[in-house]
Amino acid sequence: MEKFIDREISALEFNVRVLAEGMDPSNPLLERLKFIGIVSSNMDEFFMVRMASLKASRSPTGEVRERALSLLEKRNEYFLRTMVPELEAAGFMRLLPESCSPKQLEFLSGYFRKEILPVLTPIAIAEDRPLPVLANLRLYFVAGLLEPGGKGPPKYAVAEIPPKVFSRMVFLPTEKGYPFVLAEDLIGAFASDLFPGFEVAEKGVMRLTRGAELSLDEEKDDDFARVMTEALRERRTGEIVRLEVSADAPWATYLKKKLEIAPEDVVVNPAWIDLKTISQLAFQTGFDHLKRPAWQPRAVPDFERAKDLWTLLKEKNVLVFHPYESFDAVVQFVEAAAADPDVLAIKQTLYRTDQNSPVVRALERAAENGKRVTVLIELKARFDEESNIEWAKRLTTAGASVLYGIAGLKTHAKVCLIVRRESEGIKRYAHLATGNYNERTATVYSDIGYFTSNDDLTNDASAFFNMITGYSQPIPWSKIEVAPFGLRRRLLRMIRREALRSTPQHPGLIRAKMNSLADTDLIEALYQASKAGVKVELNIRGICRLRPGVAHLSENIKVISIVDQFLEHSRIFHFANGGEDEVYISSADWMPRNLDRRIEMLVPIDDAASKKELIEALDIYFRDNTKAWELQSDGSYIKVDPGKGKKIRAQEALCHRAMAAEDILLKSMPKDLKPQRPRVTPETERK
């Protein structure tokens, strides 16, 4: 048996678990549809990135492709056989135009001619014409055309179904239910208007998937934003790694040949192509009886009680768990700095942020107010490059200094540093986190933020910014550790220390929660720790190349994965250290890219109260027997069975913990100052 599980197979196993959540009948219908959409989005990215990378390196793709296609086939079968009938029973019925009533046809005819036809552009796919560039992940209506009377060979043309211009689901006027027609069916019904003078003999839908990796030389041009913009244009013509067609028909055969696509890269998809867009039904307002009630993040008690934020943070550190507690605390931190006349400077990293980011708007105001604002924006954040370029332009216009980090390395650390003049002198405040400065994802990603004015941590944060914005060499940090300069060494040292301190009477303990574990050096160190008797508990949401439970190698290692309402995104590391517990949060997973090719940060949590909170959170995660899956030595996962014991669901427990903290807050506050939150928890849908 190989010591390491294949990376791509492990990534697909994660999507198997997500799909299982989408097929779990205990979840409401639209909640399941949401998970089907997540699988679809994940698999699009898998083909764009992982399959493209395998093809580019000429690595064998047979088993990986076979498993990927098997997963998609299982998704399609479930959607068609189970979910479509349930959607129809709930009133969401897909109708074909030919089955519509005269009144509905009249509506569709008017809608097509007013809203759809004017924006469609038919493109000929002809032997004697250059091949047009067809966009990545866009739906295309395909037509096979004959001369009047059926003369001559068929001619083929496509028309892009543009996203965001009109809805893919066109809902029909009716007195009952929510019947709709898909845009591709509507175009097909009136295709003669698009191709006047021809007989439309064939109709279909196709979608291309192109490789999405960017190739650029960061050393050659000072204007990195321009380099990235050009690279993004090149991405649009990346190699085709998958062609989805709605049927194995003559038009599909013609396109395969014209696009020069290998047979193994063609997928016949009888389900509705691009279920990601269909899953947007789950986010429509209303239909609450078909959804899991939305969780409302709770107020952060310390922030609500504080009369002055800076006084609070001088007195204590504040640990915040998102989405259980509100991201408003982060927004308040930056907005307070932007408005405070005593704040001299704000320094911040931005990796991914939302389109209408209150954090970035606060940074703009701070710059306009004359504060020294320095923002390190990561332009290479995959699939967020264009929005980050736009934010960079806006911040520059406002007067901020916008930098793009160190050539060859992505800046993935999550840090905000506030520099304030006070009566005692200059004082620094920092927010150090595991997640992005993104208000939208903070409601659905499980992450941790740490507010502190600890001099050692804030001095480290200041030196960190000096290193990545200037010419400073990496220094011996007082508290933190930074990749790619020393994080790998420090993690290996702590794992080996745990093994050395472990005895049969007092075995060591390593507990780690992260998104992915793929670095073979760290896995080897964990294997050695297991052999030394260290108990290793790992909560790995996605990729895990470590093989647990193998005799004489990893019998002391247990790996679980939790897939639930929120995306598990936080990184927490706990080393028992002979009774002197050390606890850390980090922006980094244990993967080669994080340790060797990214700027990442490891932050020790030393204050007793915050350390206790994190250890209790890990306790909750490792007791989950409702949404947890356990990794087997063969690389498969088995759902944890609570049996006859008490059911424990980690995310539900953390919701209750946040609610209990807010209850204490509410009792201590005047009525007119109390935050108003609806009492909704993940368990509500089961009542």
Side-chain angles (χ1 to χ4, degrees), residues 16 59 95 106 135 169 233 236 254 320 417 453 546 552 599 627 649:
V16 168
S59 302
L95 297 179
E106 182 182 356
M169 289 177 280
R233 290 194 192 104
R236 295 165 192 160
Y254 179 84
V320 178
L417 181 69
S453 67
L546 181 146
H552 312 300
I599 303 291
K627 295 294 185 179
R649 182 178 168 193

Side-chain angles (χ1 to χ4, degrees), residues 61 164 193 362 374 387 487 621:
T61 61
K164 301 179 182 178
D193 289 10
T374 304
S387 62
L487 180 52
Y621 278 117

Side-chain angles (χ1 to χ4, degrees), residues 611-682:
K611 184 186 295 187
K612 181 172 179 286
E613 271 194 85
L614 287 169
I615 290 175
E616 287 176 351
L618 287 175
D619 291 340
I620 291 169
Y621 278 117
F622 285 107
R623 289 203 305 269
D624 190 303
N625 58 18
T626 304
K627 295 294 185 179
W629 298 71
E630 185 169 356
L631 176 59
Q632 308 300 299
S633 59
D634 64 358
S636 64
Y637 286 76
I638 295 178
K639 190 80 176 282
V640 175
D641 184 359
K644 296 181 179 179
K646 180 183 177 182
K647 289 186 177 182
I648 300 172
R649 182 178 168 193
Q651 293 189 358
E652 182 177 282
L654 291 169
C655 285
H656 282 297
R657 189 170 79 163
M659 291 173 69
E662 189 181 65
D663 282 340
I664 296 171
L665 167 69
L666 293 173
K667 291 174 183 176
S668 68
M669 294 183 72
K671 203 168 193 178
D672 59 334
L673 296 179
K674 291 180 181 180
Q676 298 299 313
R677 308 281 183 191
R679 306 296 279 177
V680 179
T681 76

Side-chain angles (χ1 to χ4, degrees), residues 310-318 427-431 450-459:
W310 315 118
T311 302
L312 165 68
L313 296 180
K314 277 189 286 193
E315 294 173 350
K316 66 180 298 188
N317 305 304
V318 178
K427 182 69 176 174
R428 298 183 181 100
Y429 301 84
H431 173 258
Y450 190 58
F451 296 92
T452 184
S453 67
N454 176 278
D455 288 337
D456 288 335
L457 285 174
T458 58
N459 288 342

